Amino acid sequence: MEKVYVGLGNDLQEGYKTLDWTLKKWKSNSITVVILHLTHNLSQDFVYTPFGKLPASSVSEEKLEVLTKYEQEKMERLLSKYIAFCGQVKAEIRKVEKSDEPIHKVIVDLISRQKIKKLVMGLAFMKASSWRSKTATSSLLYIQQHKPNFCEFSIVWGGKLMFLKEENDEVRIENDQGVPITKKGSFKGWLGKMFAESSSRNSTHGLDSSSSQDQWQKNAQEIEDYFKYLTSLNLDAEICEEEKDVFQNNSTEPDLPELDDSTMSVAAKVESMKRKIDEAQEIVQLKKEETKANAERSAKAEWAISLCNTQVEKLDAGIKEETARRIEITNHIDSEKEQIQDILSYVQESRNRLTYLRELQLELSNKLQLSTVTRSHMETELEKAVIARAEMVREIEELRRQRDVIQRRIEFCKEKDAIGMATKLSEQSCSYRDYSAEDIRLATDDFSEILRLKSGGDWTNVYRGRINSTTVAIKILPSESQLSPEDFLTKMKILNSIRHPHLICMIGFCSEIKCIVFEYMQNGSLRDILFSAQGSLKKVNRSLPWHARLRIAHEVASGLAYLHSTQPKPLIHGHLTAGNILLDRNLVSKISGFSLNPDSDVCDERPDIRALGVILLNLLTGRNWLGLVEEAVSKDRTALVRVLDKKAGRWPIELAEELVEVAMKCMAVHGEQNSEMRVARVVVKLDELRRKGDEVVNGGNQVAEDENFVAEENSIEVPSIFMCPILQDVMKDPYLAADGFSYELEAIDAWLKMGRDTSPMTNLKLKHKSLTPNHTLRFLIQDWQTNKSSVPA
């Protein structure tokens, strides 16, 4: 709420007009009016008595205290009227203490300290404060010239906005039409002029009245002393034009017409001089009478002052006595009231306490009876609960045993499936197929961008396709590879001869387009799972547990060992990274990305061994920055724990340390020319670590942790029915086609617009091309996504 500061004086009507102008100006804004009012120190300046304004030094201390209190109460009543005039607008008072500093400097300092943005100054405020400062207009001009730029300063007099104008060292206040309102004057000069002219008149007119001369001589010294006292204060005040005009009229002699010697005779001149003398004598007589009347009025005034002082003293004594008596009676009444109130409170408290005790006694009696019945009932329930708990413990132990058996069976089935697939593919190694270009184009929908899996840069482009109702991955060799048909067939024979459960299997090739058909790995690469951000993964949106990472490490090492053990000479991968390790539907890892460069006589296994060490560190940390692990190994176990991948669960620290040791030995091969380190030795060590990990998982120490991980893994598993068969991403707007499968509307619509009339899943001809919204599937997908987002990370 914005604050508007308003300076008001002791003139109530003028203050009302200033407040009314302020409220009308900001009536459309929500403001708080802060009233600035100047406080007077009566003991140092002047006091107001029934006989006018007198110096404070001329009044006794006791009377000064009474007058000071009276003036303070008068000022409080005035400020209360100002606040009441504001009505519903919030108003508050800020008193400006009068100090040795001029008031205009005090106001400028207040604007800077309080950051006053809006200040309205009534002319009566500056007139009331001009005793120890410049004149009111000069003070206003100083404030206007020295105020900060952020302050909006307004001058109001008579309820109207006024403006300052400085001309020839004189300051005038004009209204909005340019008409001057007041004129700068000096009280000291006016007083000196009055005193000098009064003395001059007395000496000129020759007041020879004995009473007037005695009165003047009697008070001359006192008037002189009072004049010196007032002039020593160095005070300025503005004098109203009407008072100045009256004073000048009384102190100026009548104008006499000038005599023209050329037109008047001697007789006329004499007659004129006599007339002037008579007029002067009349004026002298008039002044004598006025002096006598003034002396009588002065005597009466002194007598009235004496009587008033005596009456004031009596009234003061009576007031003090009455005030003391009232205070004593009030204190006595207050003491009696407090005693009566204490007695009434004690009686009421006793009654309440007695009532509460009776209710408490009844409540405790009822609770005692109820607790007796409840206790017998609870004892019976407790016995049943103990029996039920024992039965649940036995069931839990049996379920744990069954779970361990099922987990071992799952691992066995995964290994069996992988070995069976490798055996099956090995049996078909001599019957790999050379597909035609038309088969490849049909499988990839003429190399549609929708089916592109990734861009391999200089190596290859990969598309997902379907051949004989089987999803495959098709790699297109770049044209710059410049392999002759004979070299290409030779490479295909080499790749076809490589059959291992943890090496990617080639299904066929196309010599026309120069592409290779591989088995399709549903879960992408190890790099996507370990390093990619969660929001960027499409098919896999989960973390690998630590025991699965130990298994993958052993599988990668065994596949690499198979390559190095081929005859007549080892096969070197040459580019083993986390991106070339693919995961199938059961998260079984297989190595891909074999080099197709011409054969070389150099068979250096060290780059593959160092790359294997890097992959082991990637599995430990879940990052591609190896400096953290190297630093952790050189320090202590606490530092190692900090760099382990938390998404893998709680690593057994002993197994993690042993895995780090194997990784560092693999990476150290870089500097050893004749190292005896072989992948076969790494396979033996990793197989041992895997068995230890299986024992930890199947043991009872980490059952709760593994259960939590399985629950989390299953909670974020993407159901296959939610995936679009074309885009391999969770569908947003599923539509049902004539083949009975649901597709993303954008993908199936693009498929049909390209002129296709076959099913993307079965390659069979569609009965029709109509699409039906699958609202039920859309609802299930939205519900699954909502539940997935509520699972804590």
Side-chain angles (χ1 to χ4, degrees), residues 639-658:
L640 174 61
V641 171
R642 285 200 298 268
V643 298
L644 293 177
D645 191 1
K646 296 181 176 60
K647 294 184 293 183
R650 185 178 301 172
W651 281 86
I653 190 63
E654 294 80 5
L655 296 180
E657 289 179 343
E658 293 184 35

Side-chain angles (χ1 to χ4, degrees), residues 622-634:
R623 310 177 201 177
N624 202 18
W625 183 24
L626 305 181
L628 291 175
V629 178
E630 295 177 0
E631 180 183 2
V633 172
S634 63

Side-chain angles (χ1 to χ4, degrees), residues 159-208:
K160 296 181 179 180
L161 183 64
M162 298 299 164
F163 302 92
L164 293 178
K165 186 175 181 181
E166 185 178 11
E167 293 182 357
N168 300 327
D169 296 333
E170 289 187 356
V171 182
R172 296 188 304 173
I173 298 182
E174 300 179 350
N175 58 16
D176 53 355
Q177 299 178 356
V179 179
I181 304 302
T182 59
K183 184 176 180 181
K184 182 179 178 182
S186 173
F187 173 74
K188 179 178 177 181
W190 178 82
L191 185 63
K193 181 179 179 181
M194 179 185 72
F195 186 83
E197 290 182 357
S198 299
S199 300
S200 175
R201 286 199 305 269
N202 291 334
S203 60
T204 302
H205 295 311
L207 300 177
D208 56 352

Side-chain angles (χ1 to χ4, degrees), residues 546-606:
W546 61 268
H547 52 85
R549 300 189 186 200
L550 286 177
R551 175 180 55 79
I552 292 173
H554 176 261
E555 292 171 351
V556 173
S558 63
L560 190 61
Y562 174 80
L563 289 176
H564 290 183
S565 63
T566 57
Q567 296 297 330
K569 61 180 180 180
L571 291 178
I572 306 302
H573 189 287
H575 191 60
L576 183 62
T577 62
N580 284 328
I581 298 174
L582 304 181
L583 303 175
D584 66 5
R585 188 184 304 274
N586 297 320
L587 294 179
V588 176
S589 61
K590 297 187 180 185
I591 301 175
S592 67
F594 307 135
S595 175
L596 293 179
N597 293 328
D599 297 333
S600 174
D601 295 333
V602 179
C603 296
D604 189 359
E605 301 176 4
R606 289 177 296 173

Side-chain angles (χ1 to χ4, degrees), residues 248-313:
Q248 290 177 351
N249 291 334
N250 292 336
S251 60
T252 305
E253 295 182 357
D255 294 334
L256 298 177
E258 297 180 358
L259 300 178
D260 191 352
D261 295 337
S262 61
T263 59
M264 296 179 64
S265 61
V266 176
K269 292 180 180 179
V270 172
E271 185 64 26
S272 175
M273 291 299 295
K274 287 181 179 181
R275 191 166 52 253
K276 289 182 179 180
I277 292 172
D278 293 338
E279 292 176 356
Q281 289 178 352
E282 292 177 359
I283 292 173
V284 169
Q285 184 62 31
L286 180 61
K287 294 300 180 180
K288 286 180 180 181
E289 293 176 357
E290 290 179 358
T291 301
K292 183 178 180 180
N294 290 335
E296 293 176 355
R297 286 196 296 270
S298 176
K300 291 180 180 179
E302 290 179 357
W303 175 74
I305 290 173
S306 177
L307 291 179
C308 289
N309 289 337
T310 304
Q311 188 66 22
V312 167
E313 291 176 357

